[in-house]
Amino acid sequence: MAETSDSIDTPTPRRKPKPAIEEIAGRKLKPATLMMGHGFDPALSEGSLKPPIFQTSTFAFENAAAGKRHFEGITGKRPGGAEGLVYSRFNGPNQEILEDRLGVWDGAEDALAFSSGMTAICVMMLALCSAGDVIVHSGPLYAASEGFVAKWLSKYGVTYVDFPAGATREELDAVLEQAKAQAEQQGGKVALVYLESPGNPTNALVDIEAVSASRDAVLGEDGPPIAIDNTFLGPLWQRPLEHGADVVVYSLTKYVGGHSDLVAGSIAGAKKWIDPVRALRNTMGGICDPNTAWMLMRSLETVELRMQRAGENAAKVCEFLGDHPKVEGLGYLGMISDARQQDIYNRHCLGAGSTFSVFIKGGEEESFRFLDSLKIAKLAVSLGGTETLASHPAAMTHLSVPRERRAQLGITDNLVRISIGIEDADDLIADFDQALAAV
Ligand SMILES: *Cc1c(COP(=O)(O)O)cnc(C)c1O
């Protein structure tokens, strides 16, 4: 009893978090190891091995002067940002740990978590662009990203120039020259080079190294940042910051979340590019909630295992589909037929992924019959979950894209998009086999 009253009378000194362990004997620890504890010290949360969910809208200041210092950081009156937690529209413990761990995967200095992939993309573009500026982007983009640039940013005087995913260095130079002239005419600058690679649903790859060299040559090394949507191959199979990109963008809803049970997004890169985006996120909101951040931390513990298994399954399924008489062809990164695309793949990718397109012999009717006959694979949009999904882009995700543009992008009526999960590969093959028999 005396001990109890003692501990009440004597306030325990505020504990400091233990320094993070990122290497042992000169060996830099791998992301798979760091995901189990990086950025979290159980001693700060009653010894809880896992971070609790901090379900709070605001944080108590130690004293009034500390509150003032925090706000000086938040409002930019003092460089360096907030030194502690202030209010949950700005940040929270779960989101901070998540952001630290997301940064680890891409080798990024800083990262931000958002309530969806599209929130991440929209807030980033708004933060980096002013009226008169030009965005240069690869095509095709995720439909909502393309729509945000064309339909919404144009309302604020931001224009764009786009180029096909496979563009060569010469073509990229010409596109950037055009964008530069367009910006000068509008009294602005080229504010952002925005890429998506591989493109959805065709898996067309962008040469990030060529884009980076072209940016440096045409716009100078202090030119605009290169951001890339790495949702299809990241964080395992493509590491864009190592190939000249400045910011990596994710829909965490897909492979990173990986269980088709949450919606979230992120960006990661150098502080220089992340800071203005954080300032706008502080103003607008759009940070992911603590529960979603907690679920994402759980997902990150298994992301490597899940993606490896899904990738192995996809390779086996594609080997089966590639030889099938009712299949016309495959859009799978493990079986590229174009030499230029293969060269980009060899330089940029560490794996072929598990999302690909199958061209069924016939048209919409045959493709629908195949989809309706599947017994294991679920008929749904989205990708990167533990379960196998199948969809028909021309009739679903890309229905709003005009027919000619669809044809240009190779989105035909016999294209079925598949995202392979972590089921048993032979079970999946049996399912595709019986569904093709029904075509
Ligand atoms: C799903 C997706 C998005 C949008 O992400 P949300 O989390 O749905 O907002 C952006 N880019 C790509 C490549 C996607 O697949």
Side-chain angles (χ1 to χ4, degrees):
M1 291 272 99
E3 271 169 27
T4 311
S5 58
D6 247 17
S7 64
I8 289 169
D9 291 341
T10 323
T12 34
R14 235 184 131 73
R15 293 186 200 137
K16 288 265 181 279
K18 272 195 222 147
I21 296 164
E22 288 172 40
E23 61 163 71
I24 292 176
R27 180 189 163 77
K28 198 165 173 293
L29 300 181
K30 293 281 163 42
T33 306
L34 292 173
M35 286 312 107
M36 308 315 165
H38 183 69
F40 175 67
D41 180 357
L44 294 180
S45 296
E46 311 280 353
S48 177
L49 186 74
K50 291 292 176 188
I53 300 175
F54 289 86
Q55 196 69 55
T56 185
S57 63
T58 194
F59 297 86
F61 303 136
E62 263 181 271
N63 51 47
K68 182 179 176 188
R69 259 191 87 67
H70 288 329
F71 269 91
E72 284 169 350
I74 289 277
T75 55
K77 283 199 161 56
R78 181 179 47 74
E83 285 169 358
L85 296 163
V86 173
Y87 181 66
S88 296
R89 194 180 72 240
F90 308 148
N91 221 335
N94 297 106
Q95 295 92 326
E96 285 205 335
I97 302 165
L98 171 65
E99 287 167 349
D100 285 350
R101 292 185 190 177
L102 288 170
V104 163
W105 280 102
D106 281 295
E109 192 183 358
D110 204 356
L112 295 174
F114 291 87
S115 58
S116 75
M118 281 318 302
T119 314
I121 292 164
C122 296
V123 175
M124 176 185 73
M125 286 182 173
L126 280 172
L128 298 175
C129 296
S130 306
D133 286 353
V134 177
I135 291 181
V136 178
H137 74 75
S138 63
L141 294 183
Y142 184 71
S145 307
E146 207 157 297
F148 186 69
V149 172
K151 277 193 237 150
W152 296 96
L153 284 178
S154 60
K155 297 205 319 174
Y156 306 101
V158 177
T159 64
Y160 70 93
V161 177
D162 64 348
F163 64 88
T168 61
R169 172 65 199 278
E170 291 69 34
E171 290 164 336
L172 289 163
D173 283 359
V175 165
L176 287 181
E177 290 288 0
Q178 183 196 339
K180 194 172 154 187
Q182 189 167 315
E184 271 163 23
Q185 207 175 24
Q186 293 170 183
K189 61 185 183 301
V190 179
L192 174 67
V193 179
Y194 185 80
L195 315 176
E196 188 174 313
S197 182
N200 176 26
T202 55
N203 271 341
L205 295 168
V206 177
D207 189 338
I208 308 165
E209 288 169 349
V211 171
S212 170
S214 180
R215 187 264 320 263
D216 292 352
V218 178
L219 302 166
E221 279 173 40
D222 55 353
I226 297 166
I228 175 168
D229 185 333
N230 198 35
T231 298
F232 271 55
L233 289 183
L236 224 62
W237 297 312
Q238 183 167 250
R239 301 175 55 76
L241 299 185
E242 292 172 4
H243 300 283
D246 301 293
V247 180
V248 196
V249 177
Y250 287 99
S251 168
L252 301 175
T253 313
K254 314 296 166 53
Y255 284 98
V256 175
H259 297 71
S260 305
D261 56 5
L262 62 85
V263 173
S266 67
I267 65 167
K271 258 186 95 54
K272 174 183 167 186
W273 302 115
I274 301 297
D275 276 342
V277 185
R278 177 186 283 107
L280 184 58
R281 189 187 69 174
N282 284 348
T283 301
M284 290 179 69
I287 188 168
C288 78
D289 65 273
N291 184 67
T292 301
W294 186 93
M295 300 223 309
L296 282 163
M297 283 191 265
R298 168 178 268 216
S299 292
L300 282 175
E301 295 184 6
T302 58
V303 68
E304 187 170 290
L305 284 176
R306 285 184 285 105
M307 290 182 81
Q308 274 168 354
R309 168 68 174 240
E312 286 162 19
N313 279 358
K316 289 178 191 163
V317 167
C318 284
E319 204 181 299
F320 165 78
L321 291 173
D323 287 338
H324 200 283
K326 288 187 180 169
V327 171
E328 196 176 278
L330 288 176
Y332 170 57
L333 290 174
M335 299 176 178
I336 300 174
S337 48
D338 179 86
R340 160 108 184 113
Q341 285 288 310
Q342 186 67 51
D343 172 51
I344 302 175
Y345 178 86
N346 293 347
R347 283 183 286 118
H348 291 68
C349 305
L350 301 163
S354 79
T355 302
F356 56 87
S357 35
V358 190
F359 297 89
I360 306 290
K361 275 192 188 148
E364 187 187 88
E365 199 190 320
E366 287 77 8
S367 304
F368 277 19
R369 214 173 302 142
F370 169 68
L371 286 168
D372 289 337
S373 305
L374 290 167
K375 292 181 176 166
I376 297 173
K378 303 275 191 304
L379 185 49
V381 296
S382 198
L383 59 119
T386 45
E387 68 289 296
T388 296
L389 298 181
S391 65
H392 190 274
M396 297 169 192
T397 45
H398 294 68
L399 184 64
S400 63
V401 178
R403 186 163 265 282
E404 289 141 51
R405 171 100 174 123
R406 280 212 301 263
Q408 223 176 39
L409 299 173
I411 305 169
T412 51
D413 287 340
N414 68 336
L415 190 166
V416 169
R417 192 187 73 180
I418 312 267
S419 167
I420 295 289
I422 63 169
E423 302 95 335
D424 179 85
D426 292 329
D427 286 349
L428 292 175
I429 289 170
D431 191 24
F432 288 123
D433 197 17
Q434 64 81 26
L436 283 167
V439 173

